[in-house]
Amino acid sequence: MGTEAVFHSALVLQDELTGAVGHLLRTCQLFGVAPWNVELYGKPKRTRWTRAVRALNGVYSASIIVAVCTANLLHHSDASSSHFFAIRTLYLCEDVTVAVITILALVGCQWLRRSYSKCALQIVLLGTTLSRVGSVIGFERIEVSISKALLGTLLYSFAIVAIDLVRYFDHLSDFVCRTLLYTVPNVINVLALYQYFVLLWLIAYHYRAINGQLKTFSRAAFPPKSHHKRKHVEVFSISPPYANDRANVLDILRKAHLQLSELTAQANDCFGLLILLTTVSSFAVLTLQLFGVYKATTIQTWTYDHTTKLAYVVLWIVLHGMKVLLVLYPCRTVQEERDRTGPILYTFIPSAVDYSINNALLHEKDRFMACGVIALDMTLVNTMVGALTTYLVILIQFDSTLVQSVAGGTPNASLHA
């Protein structure tokens, strides 16, 4: 009966996890950010049909990459060459990172197709293991959150495309070029980051279940002291059967905690380069768009075209700011839940006998890193704000010098593009 219950719990968790990530997986497949024939539980059978699907998937992904890179070359040779050096450098940085991110997301998902099933199986096994000791694991809330996030991304992308269409209605070739250069790669980037977000959110969900179970277990094992003083009563005395259960439960939680730590390291290894490039790209775009906001304050005669440009700039500032938070927020949540385990243990295992159990659960509190370059915590926001302020001051000084050097004090028209 115990084996049947565990098997039934695993099947239920599989169904819930499939339903939770189903919409995200299908949306990612639409944009080539997930393999078309990916299997969450087990390897797909090698048949002619699966080979044909994989070949079509490869052609589809290659077509997106070629379209984005072509639009990238056209934009760089046509528009950004008219700006002064500092702006051209930022545009070049943005164009290069956009192309590399698109290639990395579309090719990387094919290269790591087996990681989907490995991660899904680990999540299900961890949930099944924790359910054996009384933890309740469910993914209904995650499913609702993913659906809302996907809907928000869809509406946000439509808003950007609509403003682009209004601005370039008379030049549809420019509209198509900008859509391929900016909108499509950013949707691909966001969908890839959603996969990282969901994986870390599932990990944090399991960490929270472990901590909750430890709290419940400590209250059951060590009830509060009575207000009445009693002599010759040990505060931490428990019956021998419960002591055995206590050791088994702690061993199960220790192993689950260690597996979650290893799964987190695997996630950061898989998405590290993508996160690093996303941070660089967002920094370049935020610098350019904030400089665009500054230029908008120097316009004396405001027109409808300036309004659409400003709305476009604000949308991109919010989008790239959210991409950074999309990485940092789940990392912070996982770190907080992971680091809570130690203090919880010390509240009900103070004895030296259980020091080995304590030490096994208290893993080293390393900071999450992307390719060993940037720390994935909220201090990155402070670093980016400081760097953005510095670069904006430099750009404003460049612009002021250029304006003063132009005959008659007329600003370079290309700065308003």
Side-chain angles (χ1 to χ4, degrees):
M1 294 299 294
T3 304
E4 293 179 358
V6 171
F7 182 73
H8 176 71
S9 176
L11 290 179
V12 171
L13 287 177
Q14 283 187 9
D15 293 338
E16 290 184 358
L17 183 59
T18 302
V21 302
H23 295 299
L24 175 61
L25 191 60
R26 286 189 288 272
T27 306
C28 290
Q29 289 171 340
L30 178 63
F31 286 90
V33 196
W36 286 359
N37 61 335
V38 66
E39 292 288 342
L40 292 181
Y41 313 106
K43 298 181 180 179
K45 296 181 180 179
R46 290 183 173 273
T47 62
R48 292 182 179 179
W49 171 250
T50 57
R51 293 191 183 95
V53 170
R54 185 174 297 187
L56 288 174
N57 193 180
V59 173
Y60 179 74
S61 300
S63 301
I64 296 177
I65 292 173
V66 170
V68 171
C69 292
T70 302
N72 203 322
L73 292 174
L74 293 175
H75 171 265
H76 181 70
S77 61
D78 181 40
S80 60
S81 59
S82 60
H83 295 281
F84 62 92
F85 173 76
I87 295 294
R88 287 204 310 269
T89 303
L90 289 173
Y91 270 120
L92 178 62
C93 177
E94 179 190 1
D95 293 344
V96 170
T97 52
V98 162
V100 175
I101 286 173
T102 303
I103 296 172
L104 183 65
L106 271 63
V107 176
C109 71
Q110 302 294 334
W111 181 264
L112 299 172
R113 67 170 56 243
R114 293 184 179 180
S115 298
Y116 289 87
S117 59
K118 289 181 180 179
C119 292
L121 286 173
Q122 284 183 284
I123 291 296
V124 171
L125 289 176
L126 285 168
T128 305
T129 300
L130 294 178
S131 65
R132 289 167 50 196
V133 294
S135 298
V136 179
I137 303 295
F139 306 119
E140 296 83 0
R141 294 179 57 186
I142 297 177
E143 181 179 1
V144 174
S145 300
I146 293 175
S147 299
K148 291 181 178 179
L150 290 176
L151 180 60
T153 303
L154 181 64
L155 295 177
Y156 208 93
S157 302
F158 277 148
I160 292 175
V161 171
I163 293 179
D164 256 339
L165 184 60
V166 171
R167 293 181 60 193
Y168 298 96
F169 185 77
D170 296 331
H171 303 84
L172 291 180
S173 60
D174 291 339
F175 165 72
V176 174
C177 180
R178 293 181 67 86
T179 301
L180 291 174
L181 177 61
Y182 295 123
T183 308
V184 173
N186 275 283
V187 171
I188 290 173
N189 192 1
V190 169
L191 290 176
L193 293 178
Y194 273 161
Q195 297 180 44
Y196 177 76
F197 181 93
V198 170
L199 179 56
L200 258 66
W201 193 253
L202 290 170
I203 293 173
Y205 198 83
H206 284 75
Y207 271 129
R208 189 176 295 119
I210 290 176
N211 293 332
Q213 186 63 27
L214 284 172
K215 287 183 177 180
T216 303
F217 188 62
S218 64
R219 286 194 295 266
F222 309 106
K225 296 181 180 180
S226 174
H227 294 291
H228 301 285
K229 294 183 179 181
R230 297 179 181 178
K231 296 182 179 180
H232 307 294
V233 176
E234 296 182 2
V235 177
F236 297 102
S237 61
I238 52 178
S239 59
Y242 198 86
N244 294 331
D245 292 340
R246 171 192 174 199
N248 293 332
V249 170
L250 287 177
D251 186 61
I252 291 173
L253 295 179
R254 175 188 62 81
K255 291 179 180 178
H257 196 275
L258 180 60
Q259 290 173 0
L260 287 172
S261 180
E262 294 174 349
L263 184 59
T264 305
Q266 294 174 12
N268 287 328
D269 290 340
C270 291
F271 289 90
L273 184 56
L274 176 68
I275 293 171
L276 178 61
L277 292 173
T278 300
T279 305
V280 173
S281 175
S282 295
F283 175 78
V285 173
L286 287 172
T287 304
L288 288 169
Q289 301 304 332
L290 289 173
F291 179 72
V293 173
Y294 160 75
K295 294 299 295 182
T297 61
T298 64
I299 298 174
Q300 297 180 354
T301 304
W302 197 264
T303 63
Y304 175 77
D305 185 54
H306 292 137
T307 303
T308 56
K309 287 181 180 180
L310 183 59
Y312 187 80
V313 166
V314 171
L315 284 175
W316 282 113
I317 290 175
V318 174
L319 175 63
H320 284 274
M322 290 302 298
K323 284 201 296 185
V324 176
L325 294 178
L326 196 62
V327 173
L328 299 183
Y329 180 72
C331 289
R332 189 197 68 173
T333 304
V334 170
Q335 290 182 19
E336 287 180 349
E337 292 297 334
R338 180 196 65 182
D339 297 343
R340 281 179 56 208
T341 306
I344 294 174
L345 278 177
Y346 277 121
T347 60
F348 72 101
I349 309 182
S351 62
V353 177
D354 294 313
Y355 177 77
S356 59
I357 299 177
N358 249 346
N359 191 41
L361 271 169
L362 296 177
H363 306 300
E364 187 178 357
K365 298 180 180 180
D366 293 331
R367 301 170 70 187
F368 295 162
M369 303 290 291
C371 298
V373 177
I374 57 175
L376 301 178
D377 52 35
M378 288 301 174
T379 59
L380 180 61
V381 176
N382 297 332
T383 303
M384 289 189 68
V385 170
L388 283 171
T389 303
T390 302
Y391 274 83
L392 278 175
V393 170
I394 294 173
L395 290 179
I396 292 172
Q397 290 177 346
F398 266 106
D399 181 61
S400 300
T401 303
L402 184 60
V403 168
Q404 293 174 3
S405 66
V406 175
T410 303
N412 190 344
S414 64
L415 294 177
H416 296 278

